Amino acid sequence: MKRAPNPNSTANLPTTGDNARQDGAARLKKEVIQMLLVPQPGGRYLTVAEASLRTGVPKASIYADLRRIRADGLAHYLPPHHQSGRPQGGTLPSGQFSYPLYEAVQAGMFVQGAQHDPEPVGTFESDVHVPVADRPDAVQPFAMTVRGDSMTNHDEEYHFPHGSRVLVDPNLTPHVGDFVVVSDNEDGGSTLKQMVWMRLEGAEQAGPALRALNPDPKYGPFPYDNLSGRFRVVGTVVDSQLPAYRRGQLRRR
């Protein structure tokens, strides 16, 4: 019995019309993009990094294809997490909220005109509702995985060992005592630190600073000077897993 054609197949995309639409259709038919469209066992999709590794196509080229596909009005052919360059979470049937989880956050990752789209590696589920901003250039709530031991200290009331996952509200103004994700525009990385008010060595007076929880001297505190342009607070931690932390529960010192 002859199988009926799939109306959603990219093979049915128009091959005539304006050049821009042809370009989007052609990109959808690329082997590397086709790999991203097929769910793997368990329902998960390949990441851009995995598709790049399998095909040898640079990640930057894949992200450029995805951007053009969306720009050409063909985003509905893509998996849900690639339909927008700014992934958003949603409400789960259980009443919990789901947020995109990233392996790490790089400086400029969520900035307009970034070199690549942020690609979530999973989801973070929480009963904390972080409002989604309706501005097209706004950073949306997200979760990230903590790497390293700079925030590990079992003597602290709360700490964040390697592998912890934190939920970040990018539109919440942090207060002294809050934990914040800070991007470093010089080395391109990001760091999780606690915002404190203290007088650093060599300073004439106290001021805002960022400190690690690990007492190792190599993780010494450093000033937070938003005017310098080097550091930028990406957001404030409002929830975490491994271990549990909820903003507002921290004992103020």
Side-chain angles (χ1 to χ4, degrees):
M1 180 176 177
K2 188 176 180 180
R3 179 179 295 180
N6 179 3
N8 295 321
S9 171
T10 56
N12 296 323
L13 285 169
T15 56
T16 60
D18 61 82
N19 291 334
R21 190 162 183 84
Q22 282 184 13
D23 191 35
R27 291 169 189 250
L28 261 172
K29 293 179 180 180
K30 286 185 176 182
E31 177 190 4
V32 66
I33 299 298
Q34 287 292 307
M35 294 179 70
L36 297 177
L37 305 183
V38 181
Q40 304 299 300
R44 108 175 167 87
Y45 291 88
L46 288 180
T47 65
V48 168
E50 290 170 332
S52 173
L53 187 63
R54 293 190 184 187
T55 62
V57 178
K59 289 189 292 185
S61 296
I62 301 175
Y63 283 121
D65 286 337
L66 293 171
R67 283 195 293 271
R68 189 50 186 253
I69 290 167
R70 291 194 294 263
D72 287 353
L74 302 172
H76 57 281
Y77 286 103
L78 300 174
H81 64 290
H82 279 309
Q83 290 181 4
S84 168
R86 298 177 180 275
Q88 299 179 5
T91 305
L92 301 174
S94 62
Q96 297 272 99
F97 299 93
S98 175
Y99 304 93
L101 171 69
Y102 300 97
E103 191 65 23
V105 175
Q106 297 178 341
M109 185 168 167
F110 299 99
V111 176
Q112 191 114 21
Q115 293 301 307
H116 62 82
D117 300 325
E119 182 182 12
V121 296
T123 58
F124 180 102
E125 296 178 7
S126 170
D127 61 352
V128 175
H129 178 229
V130 182
V132 174
D134 58 4
R135 304 190 317 276
D137 62 339
V139 179
Q140 305 301 346
F142 66 93
M144 63 173 283
T145 302
V146 177
R147 296 300 178 194
D149 64 351
S150 68
M151 296 300 284
T152 301
N153 187 341
H154 294 278
D155 293 329
E156 290 281 343
E157 185 171 8
Y158 297 103
H159 74 130
F160 306 87
H162 179 83
S164 300
R165 298 182 296 274
V166 295
L167 175 61
V168 181
D169 184 342
N171 299 303
L172 185 64
T173 301
H175 299 296
V176 171
D178 281 341
F179 297 99
V180 294
V181 174
V182 181
S183 66
D184 186 333
N185 294 313
E186 284 192 7
D187 65 17
S190 64
T191 182
L192 175 65
K193 292 292 182 284
Q194 185 178 34
M195 184 171 284
V196 295
W197 188 269
M198 63 183 298
R199 186 172 71 84
L200 298 173
E201 184 177 355
E204 295 183 358
Q205 58 186 9
L210 299 168
R211 76 162 186 135
L213 299 183
N214 191 324
D216 190 317
K218 70 179 180 181
Y219 296 125
F222 55 94
Y224 172 68
D225 177 13
N226 201 31
L227 298 178
S228 69
R230 174 176 178 180
F231 298 108
R232 182 173 70 91
V233 171
V234 176
T236 304
V237 174
V238 294
D239 195 12
S240 80
Q241 298 170 358
L242 301 175
Y245 160 78
R246 184 66 57 84
R247 184 177 186 267
Q249 293 180 342
L250 184 67
R251 183 179 65 247
R252 304 295 181 185
R253 290 178 170 81

